[in-house]
Every structure is written in C-alpha cells, then in structure tokens.
Amino acid sequence: MPGLTTILWDWNAPLLDKAVALLTRAHTGDGALDLTRSLVVVPTAESSRRLREALALHMSAHDSAVMAPWVWHPELCLMRDVDRKRAASQIESLLAWVRTLQMFDLAALKHLLPKTPSSLTMPWLTSMAETMLDLQSTLGAGGLDFAAVAASEHAATDRARWLDLAKLEAHWTRLLHAKKLASTQTLKRERAHAPLLPDGITQIFVIGVADAPPLFRTWLRHAALLCDVRVCAHAPEAAAAGFHETGEPLRDAWNEEAPVVLALSNEQLHVVHDPDAQALRAADLIARLAPEGKTAVGVCDAETAIHLEDRLALEAARAYEPGGAASTRHGFLHFARLWRDLVVTRRWQPFASLLRIPAVAELWAGGHIAELLQSADDFADKHLPVTLDHAHEMMHGEWKSLRSALASAKKIAQSFEKRPLTDSIRELLLGVYGARRFSVDEQSDRDLQKLATDWMEIAAEIEDAAALLTVKMQRPDALTLSLRLLEETRLSDPRGDIDLVMQGWLELLWEPAPNLVVLGCNEENLPGILISHPFLPDRLRDALGLPCQATRYARDAYLLKTLSEQRARNGALHLLCGQWSGQGDALRPSRLLFLCDDKELTARVNHLFPKDGAAARLGESSYIPARSWPWILKLRTMPPRVVEDGEQPRISVSRLRSYLVCPLRYHLENNLRMSPVDAAKEELSPGEFGDLIHHAFKQLADEIALRDCTDEKIIADFLCAAAERRAAALYTRQLPFPVRLQLDSALQRLRAAAAIEAEHRAKGWRTLHGEKLIGGDDDPAPFMLAGFRLFGKIDRIDEGPDGEHLILDFKTSESAVDPCAAHLAKLTARKLDDVPEWQRHIGGEGVAFQWTDLQLPLYALAWQRAHRGAVRVGYFNLPTSVQSTTLALWDDCDESVLDSARRCAESAAEKIAAQIFWPPNEKVKYDDFEELFGGHPVERVVDPAAILDLAVLRATRPQAGIEGESPSIHHTRSASEGESPSLHHAPS
C-alpha cells in the first residue's frame, strides 16, 4: 500500500553523500544502475545538478554507470509542461490586471480604494497590477486566492476589503478564460490535488527540502496515494519531533525560544567593516583553509557577492553564480534606459550620457570620439541645453561634429514616435551593434546578445498581449514596462573551468566541502526580513499558514545548525557579517549568531559589537575597494619646457591659490589639465553664476555715460539689463527653468548692489578699470615672482577723491566673505607643525596664520609697482541674502601683510618651477578629484614615485605652471559598456 515515510539522517556525513548512498544502495555491481523508476525531489535546480553529478561520479568510481532518476524541485511538481501550455504568461497576467482595472468600476470598491485616482495613468495601472500579481503569488504558495481569504475567519477585521479584492480577481479570471488562458496559481492548486507523475514511477524520494511552499505538502500527500514516498531530512533521530512529515523544520522546535545552541566559537565569527572588507577577509580565509581540504563559499547578500567576485578576479580566480548574475550589472541596461529617456523626453542629459557609451560614440562620432566628447562637454558647459531642440537652436557653425550627432539622436527619437516598439528596438540594436564582431568566448558579448534577444522577445510579447487583451498602451509606457521586466532577468554563465562556486544560502545544505565560508550573515539577510505586503501583514500570513517571520527564522536556525554540526568534527565553518552596507547603512549581526550557551552570551555580544571605534566608523575601511579602484594611478612625468631667451613664463593668482590648497591637485588640474565633467548639468555652476555678475559690472565700468551716475535705479536697471542680455546670448531667451531661477537671484543681488554702488560713488569714488588685465604681453612693468610674470584679471579698480586706489573683487557666495579670513586661516598650536614655514604668517601679538589665498595682496603689490601711492583692497559681497550686500574692506592689509604674502608667493612659485607637487593635502574644502580618489587616502590611489621624480627633471629656469601650456599627457578612465566616465581630460 503506498504511503509516506520520514527518514532522518545524522549530521556525521554531508547530505549529498547520504543521498547518493540511499539511491545506490541496491546496486550489486552488475551492469548499470537503473533509477528511471524513481523520482527525486530536491530544493533547487542547482541541487538537482549536484545530485546528478554525484551519482555519475559514484558509479564511475565503481566502473559502472547510472540511468539517472527523474530529479525535480517543488516548482516542477506543481507546474508540469502540460500546465504551462495553458497558463497565462507573466506579461499576459500583468496586462490582464491592467485591463481589469481599466474596465472595472473602481468607485464601487470603496473599501479597497477609498479614493480613486483622478486619472488611470499607465504607471498607476501597472504598479497596481504588479501588486495584485505579487499578492496572488504569496497566497498561491498556500493554495489560497482572494475569495478564500475573504471567507477565512482570520480576515474578519478586514473582510470588506478582501471581498472587494475577490470581485476584482473574479473579473480578472473571467477575462483570462475568455482568451482561453488560465491562472498559474489556479493550475498549481489543481495539480497539488492531482499529481502528474512520469510513467513507471514507483517511488519518490524527497531529500533535503527544508523550504518548500505549503502547497507542496498537499502535492506530497496526494502523491503518497500513488506510490511510496520517502522524505529524508538531515538531522539526527533525536530531533525527529522537530520536523513535519514532509521534512520541513517545525517552527515550535526551532524558534527563538527553542533550546537551539550552535557549535560555533567567536573565532569562527568575523565582524568586518563593509562589503569590500568581507570580500577581502573571505579571500584570505579561502587561501588559509586551502591546505586543509576543499573550501566552499556561500553568500547571503547579493551586494557582497559582487565584491567577492571582483576580489577573486583580482586573484585570477574565476567564480560562478549558480542562479546567474543580475542583468542590471551589465552596462546594456544603462544604455537601454538612456535610450528610453532620450526618445521619451528628448532631453539633452540622456543624449550627453549616451555619447559616453563606446558603441554609441563610435556610431555618432565618425572616428573622432575624443573631439565629439570634448565638443559636447564644452557646449553643455557653456550653454546648458535642456532639450534636443533647445540645443539645436544654440548650435552654430563651430559645433559641426556635435550637430551631426544631435541630428542622429533627433532622427532616432522621431522614428520611435512613428514605428511599433519592436521595430524601434530592432532598428536601435542593429544601428549600434550591427557592425560589431561578437565572440562566443567573451562573457560580456554573450551577456549582451542574451539581453538584446530577451528585450526583443519581451517587447514583442507586450505588444501581442496588449492586442489580445485589448489594452491600450502608449509606446513610452510599453517601452518602460519592457525595461522593467528586462531588469528581472538573470544572466547565465556556463560553468566551464571554475575555481569557486558562490552559492546562495538555501544551496548550502547540499554542500559537502569540509570548509565553508559564508558572507553577509547580517540580520537583514539571515533570517532576513519579509517585506510587509500592504494587504498581508505578518500576523495574517502566520494565521493563514503562509511563510512568515517565524517560519523563516525556524528554517534558517535549522540550516545553520546543520551546517555547523556537519563541520564540528571535520572541517571549519566561518561566518562573516558587515557593519555597514556599500551605501553606508548600518547593519546588524544576525540573531542566529547569538545561539550559544548563556555563559558565553556576554562574550559573544562583545565580539559581534566591537567597541573599537576606529574599525567601526563609516568611511575608514582599511581595504581598497575591489570594484571602484583596484589600481594605482601612475601619473606620467612631464619633460622640462624649453624657455626661450627673454621669455617670462606666467603664473596666475588662481594657480597660486590652487598650489596652496594642494600641490598634487594643482598638478592634476593645471599641468595635466584634468577636470570633472557633469554630463547631467542643468544649472549654472557657482563660477558661471558669478560670471553674470562680473559681466554686468564690467559693462557698467565701460559705460562712460554712467561713470559719474549716483542714481540707484539707473545703475540697477543697467546692471540687470546687462545680465539678462548675457544670459540670453548664452542660453537663448527661452531660459531653462533652473537658469531662470538663478538669473532672478542674480538680478535681486544686482539691485541690492546698485544701492551700495550708488552710495560708494556718492563718496567720491570713480571706477578706473573693470576686469583689468595685469601681467599680459603689453604690461610694461609686470610683477615678477621667482622668474614668473604674475598674470591675472582684477575685477575692478576704483580711485578715491584723495587719489587713493581701491582694488575690489566681486564675491557671489551664499554668505558675505571677510577678505582677511578668506586669505589667512588662524593656526592652533596643534596644527602649527602641519603647515610649512613658508606658508605661515605671523600677525600681531605673535598669532600664527596660514596663507590659503594670495589674490588681493598680490594684486595690491602688482598695482603698487606700476602706480605709486596708497592701495586698499576688499570684497564687493553679493550674497544670497541681499540684506548682507556690502563692501568689505581689508583694513589691516598693511606692509607687513603684503611682504609676508610676497614671500609665500615666491616660495610657491619656486616649488612650482622645481615641479614639487608632493605631499598632497588629504583634506580640502572643495575637491574636484573626490571621485578619482574614491574617498581613500591619496597615497593609496596615486603612486608618489612619479610625482617625486618630476623634481629631478626641472630645468635651470622656470618651466612649469605656465598659463596656456598644452598638457603633455592624455589620461582617461576605461569605460565598460554603458559606463559613463565622470572625469574628462583634454587631449594632448
């Protein structure tokens, strides 16, 4: 008589070994072993592969062969091929829900939707449809539908809402039936009560299935009426009371109150900083355990898996993920999203980002990629285009290559509006990748081909399903849906020759290796937190017999107990947990790690919550990230520049300021011409905003008719008109909204400044020069610093009634700036030794300061050299708060300050001439190279040897830091498919 028998296996040997022994026990050694009349149910597809492989190896070792059994996992039991032919696909089910929501009178569902949306947009409809499908899937695991929950006593407090849901589901089911389709969950419920077994099956083995859906228990009990069923669980006989007859751990025997103690010591638990640190620690453990036997790796956190894979790649080790990698890790998704944004919005930002994708750049650049990127960056920086049409309006003759690329982008956008979705996608893929040579040996090429094919198939299915179900979808909505579904696909990778398999948590029960390293053992992953469904709180899940927090905890407590006991006497188990995620979120060690004897609990808590602040603080990981920057930047040295007789190299005050901030960053910015590029820029930078102000005052200085004007309104009107004309010339009269707001702010500041300007003029001051150039080729008496000609542009020079001159610099920062504080930073005794002596200034009463800027003192010295007499300096502050608009003069900028500034400038110029660009300043207020350094100390990213060698190459006369000098290197970051480099470097 068929029946169901439960067998428990002790932890003295791996589950896989015991499964092989069970299935081969009847083999006598004569002929091949025939298991074709047996059906084996295992938890996953990977465990199925492992079992088949282990059976083949076992029989091969006995000089025999095996006729493999049928090996299924629970999903295959509940959904056979004949059922799949009848079932609606995911896309058909989703669009059926969309159509149901479009057809149904939602106003009648007052308990489900107390307030219906004013318009049923496709984003709202697809989001609601996905919620319905997710709810059906969750309930379907227990064999339930919406009507069953509504009839349940457990839904008494929310029955009205479940009745509304049941009405909707009934309408959805009728819609599918009308199209000769069936619900997947309905078919699973039917199959659970009527198992369909392969012909000739006489026995079923269920091995190591610790996490099957509740509906599988129904299937198993009905299957036991057809043939013998043996359920094998990995646990000793003494623990028999802790398992269902179907082999799953009982929650009461494995919950937090149960007396479960893990055979783990603190030495086996590793608390490290972040995913990078986990990957490095895991690599170290693997290397250390290698001599002791085979070592396997498990990963509970997908983020950690990425870092581990990259860390192993650095060690020339190939890792394999049985479940496949997330498609979002491939640059193709980035490319596809940008194309979607381009054709739907026709904005500049996705166009500029697409140019940074190699395949697109090659297509649009006509062989001149660097020129096209340079042109696009310069155009965007100068004109801030918002849309493609906006850019076209401002693009004139000097942007030839960019205009051609822009025309191609507009053509693609126009084509999308007229053609079916699948045709548009096919045209795009052929245009970008049609001429590319693909290699079957390259994983990236295989992934690209798979994603492109999947996208085409998804788009075609969306169009077919929409037509079948009469769903009216706009083309942009269909495109967005296709990409969202493409993101859910996985990239398979042929196993080939691999060094390590990165297994998921549920796969580890089948791992026979004596040594096991598991990453990501944090509470967020193990036992994890079941995301609360808006209709299914954890309490209701529990009452309905669905997987809930309690069953999840019981499952993982059992699995961890099994993993530890199996290796307690032979092998080693190491568990790693991080303190921070890659995004900087604090993480907690798993509760399961505290399952120890009470007398050990205090030590365990102290171990898992270390008090070493240096190790726990965010951003102070002592590990170099595996993904972001695994190499050291070796900067190319620059040969000395030959200086012709009589030539005076120039150096600007801005360069001197840059050198004072950080010598290395000076070298990167001024010698190597490296600068950041923001492809998504849509508003004025602080410098560009300030240029509007400077331009307006330059126009006022040049307007002879207003030179003596003291009328505040006339001055204000003139300044504002000048700023508006400048903005229109750069960004067209149809200003982008962010620029319009910024221009309004500038106009407010100019009107406030006009009052100060009128008062200043009323005191007898007159403007002599606006944006006065000093140190140019026509300067008869340039100011010299260590052989350099000081070069710069003074914002304004005024003359007072007594002949005194005033040098002003316009400041448009958020708050008013004191000129003395902007140039001199007070030094504490602790910081004094950190500042070189040449950069110090000793003020009154012996107070020490550090020169951080030399602008105003050097301008004063240069003007004094050419024009004798008293010179005062200050800032014309135009801050955000117009009430703080003021002339801030530096009254204490006397001869001692000027002399100190001269000495500091000469020392900096000498060091620049000697090409001394080390050591760097680790902390700067505004760092354009923050992404280049990746948040790490500069010494870990830049090789100092090349920088220090520059000093050896210095010429006898100054040759470095010359204004307008062409850079001698061209450095670019490598960009994988879809990656957008954020640093742009001008070509040599």
Side-chain angles (χ1 to χ4, degrees):
M1 179 70 182
L4 189 151
T5 305
T6 303
I7 304 172
L8 272 73
W9 289 332
D10 198 81
W11 289 315
N12 57 2
L15 174 69
L16 183 60
D17 294 351
K18 289 181 175 289
V20 171
L22 172 67
L23 295 173
T24 60
R25 70 194 185 288
H27 186 242
T28 61
D30 298 328
L33 174 63
D34 185 2
L35 295 176
T36 56
R37 300 176 68 83
S38 299
L39 169 63
V40 182
V41 182
V42 296
T44 64
E46 174 63 12
S47 52
S48 171
R49 187 205 64 79
R50 277 178 170 267
L51 179 60
R52 292 173 185 271
E53 180 183 57
L55 283 170
L57 291 174
H58 176 83
M59 296 307 296
S60 176
H62 290 79
D63 296 325
S64 188
V66 61
M67 298 175 68
W70 295 83
V71 185
W72 292 356
H73 49 81
E75 182 68 19
L76 283 176
C77 299
L78 295 170
M79 180 65 70
R80 303 302 302 135
D81 290 341
V82 66
D83 301 321
R84 294 183 190 281
K85 293 178 181 179
R86 300 169 51 204
S89 69
Q90 178 191 10
I91 292 175
E92 290 170 334
S93 300
L94 180 71
L95 293 186
W97 270 113
V98 170
R99 183 59 179 153
T100 295
L101 293 168
Q102 288 176 330
M103 297 171 62
F104 208 89
D105 181 13
L106 300 184
L109 305 175
K110 296 189 179 300
H111 299 286
L112 177 63
L113 297 171
K115 183 178 181 181
T116 57
S118 56
S119 61
L120 299 182
T121 64
M122 190 55 64
W124 184 88
L125 289 168
T126 54
S127 175
M128 191 69 173
E130 288 172 345
T131 300
M132 294 295 104
L133 282 179
D134 179 57
L135 182 59
Q136 285 179 315
S137 177
T138 303
L139 292 173
L144 303 172
D145 60 11
F146 296 173
V149 178
S152 169
E153 60 179 348
H154 304 297
T157 58
D158 206 14
R159 195 179 310 282
R161 185 161 67 155
W162 281 103
L163 287 172
D164 281 353
L165 284 168
K167 294 175 186 176
L168 271 180
E169 188 176 42
H171 189 285
W172 175 82
T173 303
R174 288 194 297 271
L175 179 60
L176 288 181
H177 286 171
K179 305 300 180 181
K180 298 184 175 6
L181 297 172
S183 162
T184 298
Q185 304 306 327
T186 299
L187 294 174
K188 286 183 178 181
R189 288 195 296 271
E190 293 174 356
R191 185 58 59 213
H193 289 84
L196 181 61
L197 304 179
D199 293 339
I201 291 296
T202 60
Q203 56 184 348
I204 298 175
F205 297 96
V206 180
I207 304 177
V209 179
D211 189 44
L215 189 60
F216 175 70
R217 298 177 199 157
T218 303
W219 181 92
L220 199 57
R221 294 187 183 102
H222 283 86
L225 301 176
L226 304 176
C227 63
D228 288 328
V229 176
R230 298 186 184 184
V231 178
C232 306
H234 202 196
E237 285 289 345
F243 293 87
H244 285 284
E245 62 176 352
T246 53
E248 297 165 77
L250 289 167
R251 54 186 290 179
D252 292 340
W254 297 93
N255 62 20
E256 296 185 65
E257 287 73 36
V260 179
V261 176
L262 301 180
L264 294 172
S265 66
N266 286 349
E267 288 70 27
Q268 295 173 266
L269 309 179
H270 305 263
V271 182
V272 291
H273 186 272
D274 53 24
D276 294 329
Q278 287 196 61
L280 186 57
R281 182 68 61 86
D284 291 342
L285 286 169
I286 293 169
R288 179 158 60 85
L289 294 170
E292 303 175 13
K294 184 179 178 182
T295 301
V297 171
V299 182
C300 300
D301 181 8
E303 181 185 36
T304 307
I306 298 173
H307 292 274
L308 177 60
E309 185 176 356
D310 287 347
R311 173 59 59 185
L312 293 172
L314 292 176
E315 305 293 335
R318 184 170 179 267
Y320 171 74
E321 292 183 70
S327 60
T328 50
R329 289 171 57 178
H330 196 283
F332 182 82
L333 264 297
H334 175 66
F335 157 69
R337 292 190 199 103
L338 288 176
W339 177 74
R340 183 269 315 274
D341 294 343
L342 175 72
V343 299
V344 172
T345 68
R346 303 186 65 162
R347 293 177 65 83
W348 170 269
Q349 192 277 326
F351 167 73
S353 297
L354 278 169
L355 291 178
R356 282 170 165 71
I357 297 177
V360 178
E362 291 173 8
L363 179 67
W364 288 349
H368 303 284
I369 296 178
E371 177 185 341
L372 177 60
L373 287 175
Q374 177 78 63
S375 181
D377 292 339
D378 291 344
F379 179 80
D381 190 59
K382 182 177 181 180
H383 294 291
L384 294 181
V386 177
T387 66
L388 300 185
D389 291 337
H390 186 212
H392 184 267
E393 182 182 350
M394 295 182 288
M395 207 170 285
H396 305 297
E398 69 269 26
W399 310 105
K400 183 178 179 180
S401 62
L402 183 59
R403 191 166 61 251
S404 175
L406 185 67
S408 298
K410 292 182 67 176
K411 184 178 179 180
I412 289 174
Q414 292 165 356
S415 175
F416 173 76
E417 296 174 353
K418 301 174 182 177
R419 307 188 65 181
L421 177 60
T422 50
D423 290 347
S424 297
I425 294 175
R426 184 182 298 108
E427 181 183 39
L428 169 74
L429 297 177
L430 287 175
V432 176
Y433 300 110
R436 175 170 173 167
R437 288 179 175 269
F438 287 86
S439 172
V440 295
D441 297 327
E442 290 292 333
Q443 180 63 37
S444 179
D445 280 358
R446 293 197 299 268
D447 291 342
L448 177 58
Q449 288 179 303
K450 180 184 185 304
L451 287 170
T453 303
D454 287 350
W455 192 18
M456 289 286 297
E457 292 175 351
I458 290 171
E461 189 176 353
I462 289 175
E463 289 187 321
D464 292 343
L468 176 67
L469 297 162
T470 64
V471 176
K472 294 181 179 180
M473 291 189 72
Q474 298 297 321
R475 202 169 287 110
D477 295 322
L479 175 57
T480 297
L481 178 60
S482 73
L483 287 177
R484 190 157 72 246
L485 295 174
L486 183 63
E487 291 171 359
E488 297 174 2
T489 61
R490 306 290 293 183
L491 295 172
S492 58
D493 183 7
R495 295 180 75 92
D497 295 328
I498 58 173
D499 299 290
L500 199 67
V501 178
M502 297 194 302
Q503 303 171 79
W505 173 246
L506 297 179
E507 305 283 357
L508 296 180
L509 188 63
W510 284 78
E511 176 52 61
N515 300 317
L516 178 60
V517 178
V518 185
L519 295 81
C521 298
N522 290 96
E523 180 67 17
E524 291 73 12
N525 313 309
L526 185 69
I529 301 171
L530 286 175
I531 299 175
S532 179
H533 196 283
F535 301 113
L536 274 180
D538 193 66
R539 174 193 55 79
L540 183 55
R541 290 180 193 236
D542 190 1
L544 293 172
L546 299 172
C548 60
Q549 291 294 154
T551 58
R552 173 74 65 86
Y553 181 93
R555 179 202 72 183
D556 289 347
Y558 158 69
L559 290 175
L560 188 53
K561 175 73 171 178
T562 301
L563 298 180
S564 61
E565 290 293 340
Q566 179 181 317
R567 294 166 178 83
R569 290 172 294 279
N570 180 26
L573 173 65
H574 290 270
L575 307 176
L576 282 66
C577 58
Q579 296 173 306
W580 305 92
S581 72
Q583 290 72 42
D585 298 321
L587 302 176
R588 298 167 293 173
S590 171
R591 285 173 286 165
L592 300 175
L593 304 185
F594 297 95
L595 296 177
C596 58
D597 288 333
D598 291 344
K599 61 183 180 182
E600 300 174 0
L601 186 57
T602 300
R604 180 65 55 87
V605 171
N606 291 335
H607 178 72
L608 294 176
F609 291 96
K611 296 181 180 179
D612 181 3
R617 285 196 296 270
L618 177 61
E620 296 191 9
S621 171
S622 60
Y623 306 96
I624 299 175
R627 286 185 64 79
S628 58
W629 226 249
W631 47 269
I632 300 297
L633 180 62
K634 296 181 181 294
L635 298 173
R636 191 180 307 173
T637 55
M638 300 175 61
R641 179 179 180 274
V642 177
V643 182
E644 302 293 338
D645 290 340
E647 181 182 358
Q648 295 175 329
R650 300 182 300 182
I651 189 168
S652 67
V653 292
S654 61
R655 285 197 170 195
L656 288 169
R657 180 195 305 118
S658 176
Y659 191 85
L660 295 181
V661 169
C662 175
L664 174 62
R665 290 173 175 83
Y666 169 91
H667 178 59
L668 298 177
E669 177 183 0
N670 296 286
N671 292 339
L672 305 186
R673 299 295 174 89
M674 297 173 70
S675 60
V677 170
D678 182 6
K681 178 182 175 185
E682 293 186 350
E683 61 182 18
L684 304 180
S685 67
E688 290 166 336
F689 180 84
D691 286 345
L692 287 178
I693 303 291
H694 285 73
H695 175 80
F697 273 100
K698 174 65 166 69
Q699 296 299 305
L700 181 64
D702 293 344
E703 186 60 47
I704 298 176
L706 295 181
R707 183 154 294 182
D708 297 323
C709 177
T710 58
D711 188 308
E712 175 185 341
K713 184 178 185 306
I714 293 176
I715 295 173
D717 290 344
F718 183 89
L719 289 172
C720 291
E724 288 180 314
R725 287 194 301 271
R726 179 64 172 173
L730 289 174
Y731 316 114
T732 74
R733 294 194 177 277
Q734 297 297 323
L735 295 179
F737 182 69
V739 177
R740 179 72 255 177
L741 293 179
Q742 290 179 296
L743 177 60
D744 290 343
S745 174
L747 299 181
Q748 290 178 356
R749 299 189 196 195
L750 287 171
R751 291 197 177 278
I756 303 297
E757 177 70 15
E759 181 182 351
H760 180 62
R761 292 181 173 205
K763 294 178 181 178
W765 290 92
R766 295 294 178 267
T767 299
L768 292 181
H769 303 284
E771 297 189 2
K772 173 66 175 176
L773 187 68
I774 61 171
D777 295 336
D778 58 347
D779 191 338
F783 186 76
M784 304 299 296
L785 289 170
F788 287 97
R789 176 193 292 253
L790 182 68
F791 178 80
K793 187 185 291 182
I794 302 176
D795 285 352
R796 201 169 84 179
I797 303 173
D798 290 354
E799 184 178 34
D802 56 357
E804 184 181 33
H805 288 161
L806 173 62
I807 292 175
L808 289 176
D809 192 69
F810 293 99
K811 292 295 178 184
T812 55
S813 51
E814 289 190 7
S815 56
V817 181
D818 176 67
C820 179
H823 288 73
L824 291 168
K826 189 174 181 180
L827 290 173
T828 62
R830 183 172 59 86
K831 292 183 178 181
L832 185 62
D833 292 337
D834 295 335
V835 177
E837 188 173 352
W838 63 269
Q839 203 173 342
R840 300 177 197 168
H841 169 70
I842 306 302
E845 300 180 358
V847 178
F849 296 87
Q850 176 184 1
W851 281 107
T852 56
D853 193 358
L854 298 164
Q855 181 189 35
L856 290 181
L858 291 184
Y859 282 162
L861 289 167
W863 188 255
Q864 276 185 340
R865 178 180 177 84
H867 306 82
R868 302 297 178 184
V871 178
R872 301 179 69 186
V873 295
Y875 285 158
F876 198 140
N877 282 308
L878 292 86
T880 304
S881 175
V882 295
Q883 289 81 6
S884 300
T885 305
T886 183
L887 283 175
L889 303 185
W890 190 353
D891 294 326
D892 295 333
C893 188
D894 54 20
E895 290 301 323
S896 66
V897 173
L898 296 179
D899 188 54
S900 174
R902 183 205 305 269
R903 291 195 303 270
C904 178
E906 287 178 342
S907 296
E910 288 171 355
K911 293 178 182 298
I912 292 173
Q915 301 197 55
I916 298 174
F917 305 119
W918 200 267
N921 185 354
E922 289 292 353
K923 296 180 180 179
V924 297
K925 190 172 183 180
Y926 303 107
D927 191 1
D928 286 340
F929 300 95
E930 182 177 4
E931 185 173 349
L932 179 67
F933 299 140
H936 297 284
V938 176
E939 290 90 340
R940 293 188 186 166
V941 180
V942 178
D943 181 5
I947 303 297
L948 295 174
D949 285 346
L950 291 174
V952 179
L953 300 176
R954 65 181 182 272
T956 55
R957 286 174 292 183
Q959 72 288 337
I962 299 167
E963 289 290 335
E965 180 182 359
S966 298
S968 61
I969 74 165
H970 174 45
H971 171 75
T972 57
R973 282 180 58 188
S974 61
S976 61
E977 191 72 39
E979 181 174 288
S980 300
S982 60
L983 289 175
H984 169 70
H985 316 284
S988 301

